[in-house]
Amino acid sequence: METAEKKQIVLSAIQPTGTPTLGNYLGALKNWKTMSNDYECFYAVADLHSITVRPEPAQLRRRTLEMYALLLAIGLDPEKNTVFVQSHVNAHAQLAWILNCYTQFGEAARMTQFKDKSEKHPENVNVGLFSYPTLMAADILLYQADFVPIGVDQKQHLEITRDIAERFNGLYGDTFKLPEPFIGKAGAKIMSLQEPTKKMSKSDTNAKAFISMLDDADAITRKIKSAVTDSEACVYCGEGKDGVNNLMGIYACCTGKSFDEITAEFEGKGYGDFKAAVAEAVVEELRPVKAEFDRLIADKAYLNACMQQGAEKASYFANKTLRKAMKKVGFYQL
Ligand code: ATP
Ligand code: MG
């Protein structure tokens, strides 16, 4: 009899569209690390997704390697978890095609990310951008994931993944596990430092709007000092105080303090003191990650070996699900 309980499965991915921001870190990556001990985790660099914005080839290559190094730098153990590059596992593109045929045009057209990104890049509204959710569904369903740690902005894509999986299971019998989102309470949505009603995004053209995970202490301090706040000069969480709310969220994530504790800490003090404390907390939070990244990025042979191993492990699991789905659809088997 088997005594050890089978671990539940976690899958998540991040695009190599730029150096990840503090938003990616607090909203997603930090939870990846937290979950990595208790779950069977699959973590991917989503390079297939990232070509919807047509990156320079050399830049895509460099960013993929850097993103991979950064995932190890936050403390993911490539022996315990499966850390891989999406395009190294053919099953993602294959299952995505199949799922395209089980997704309605109207469903995909409702996705806010599609609307936002089409507005941002009106010159390149490609079909890949439109079918992003079916590739994301394939990413998740291939691993029969129980949980998907994401920021709030990806919740809608997780819902459509569940809809597609339910539809497929309804037609052909149980094939895919229905995944649940895992959205942390704090950090679920870190906002832009310059326009605090919009989410912080690594592809933002204004570098002052985001903190990159590899920014040095000076840059972090400068950006937080110039973050948009309000004229009230009083640290509390309230309506119309988007800038302050956001900084309080960041400070809470980095220190573990509650909003009430933060309000008490800065009673009678102005935004200058508050911003200095936020900057220091962020610098301390990111310092060890940056140091480890610098060490790893110098060892390309090691990173390549980890990637290779990750691709093999991921392919093994993914191909099992792909074969099952193809058989159900009726593809001729050899
Ligand atoms: P892009 O602008 O290229 O889409 P992005 O910053 O949105 O970049 P993604 O690679 O799309 O990053 O997302 C990686 C993960 O980070 C996802 O789980 C997403 O929900 C999360 N995330 C992205 N932005 C934020 C944010 N501002 N706050 C919290 N989580 C975020
Ligand atoms: Mg995104």
Side-chain angles (χ1 to χ4, degrees):
M1 214 181 86
E2 217 173 56
T3 47
E5 214 180 297
K6 212 167 163 249
K7 281 185 178 176
Q8 288 185 298
I9 298 171
V10 163
L11 172 291
S12 200
I14 183 163
Q15 302 186 72
T17 39
T19 309
T21 66
L22 188 65
N24 300 130
Y25 183 62
L26 300 178
L29 298 178
K30 226 180 148 178
N31 291 328
W32 292 20
K33 164 77 175 125
T34 312
M35 297 178 102
S36 67
N37 286 322
D38 301 328
Y39 297 88
E40 166 90 46
C41 297
F42 294 88
Y43 293 132
V45 177
D47 56 346
L48 293 174
H49 283 287
S50 75
I51 65 167
T52 57
V53 293
R54 201 175 304 157
E56 290 278 328
Q59 192 184 53
L60 175 60
R61 264 190 294 277
R62 180 176 54 78
R63 284 180 169 169
T64 301
L65 184 73
E66 285 177 0
M67 184 63 84
Y68 193 88
L70 202 58
L71 295 187
L72 301 193
I74 64 171
L76 298 178
D77 178 346
E79 294 293 328
K80 272 205 291 194
N81 307 286
T82 307
V83 188
F84 67 103
V85 175
Q86 187 189 25
S87 69
H88 295 169
V89 180
N90 295 337
H92 288 249
Q94 288 171 281
L95 184 63
W97 169 255
I98 295 174
L99 299 182
N100 271 331
C101 304
Y102 296 85
T103 307
Q104 296 306 302
F105 187 90
E107 272 183 302
R110 277 198 296 275
M111 296 296 110
T112 38
Q113 176 175 290
F114 174 67
K115 293 184 208 159
D116 288 352
K117 291 201 171 178
S118 323
E119 255 171 49
K120 253 195 201 163
H121 306 278
E123 73 299 341
N124 185 19
V125 183
N126 55 75
V127 176
L129 193 62
F130 185 71
S131 65
Y132 189 106
T134 51
L135 179 57
M136 180 160 159
D139 299 339
I140 297 166
L141 300 178
L142 278 173
Y143 299 93
Q144 307 288 354
D146 295 281
F147 297 107
V148 185
I150 43 168
V152 140
D153 64 304
Q154 291 299 326
K155 199 166 165 249
Q156 201 185 24
H157 285 158
L158 206 87
E159 280 156 10
I160 196 176
T161 298
R162 289 173 58 94
D163 291 343
I164 298 168
E166 261 186 313
R167 185 171 305 141
F168 194 99
N169 289 348
L171 286 166
Y172 301 109
D174 256 6
T175 311
F176 302 120
K177 172 105 203 173
L178 294 192
E180 299 285 342
F182 179 91
I183 301 175
K185 253 197 230 113
K189 196 167 189 183
I190 302 295
M191 310 309 275
S192 155
L193 297 178
Q194 292 301 315
E195 290 172 274
T197 52
K198 290 195 186 149
K199 91 170 182 81
M200 184 181 282
S201 203
K202 62 175 130 63
S203 56
D204 200 313
T205 44
N206 180 1
K208 280 169 76 181
F210 60 84
I211 290 170
S212 132
M213 283 179 70
L214 299 176
D215 276 347
D216 60 29
D218 279 354
I220 293 172
T221 309
R222 223 177 327 109
K223 287 181 191 180
I224 289 182
K225 279 201 172 142
S226 64
V228 169
T229 47
D230 51 67
S231 52
E232 208 181 5
C234 192
V235 179
Y236 71 96
C237 196
E239 210 161 306
K241 291 177 72 78
D242 302 302
V244 171
N245 294 349
N246 189 37
L247 291 176
M248 286 179 77
I250 292 172
Y251 191 59
C253 278
C254 295
T255 59
K257 290 176 187 170
S258 71
F259 278 42
D260 287 343
E261 284 169 331
I262 298 170
T263 304
E265 183 179 346
F266 294 98
E267 212 193 314
K269 292 182 185 162
Y271 289 157
D273 289 334
F274 175 50
K275 283 178 165 179
V278 177
E280 198 186 315
V282 173
V283 169
E284 286 318 310
E285 179 80 25
L286 295 179
R287 190 192 303 280
V289 179
K290 185 165 162 35
E292 183 61 1
F293 172 85
D294 290 341
R295 190 183 74 76
L296 284 165
I297 200 68
D299 194 350
K300 197 173 166 187
Y302 172 72
L303 293 172
N304 283 348
C306 292
M307 267 187 202
Q308 178 73 39
Q309 187 186 317
E312 284 164 17
K313 262 164 67 184
S315 295
Y316 174 77
F317 283 89
N319 285 330
K320 271 209 286 203
T321 304
L322 179 67
R323 276 197 301 272
K324 189 168 155 190
M326 289 181 78
K327 201 169 162 189
K328 295 210 168 180
V329 171
F331 286 105
Y332 190 85
Q333 313 268 305
L334 279 180

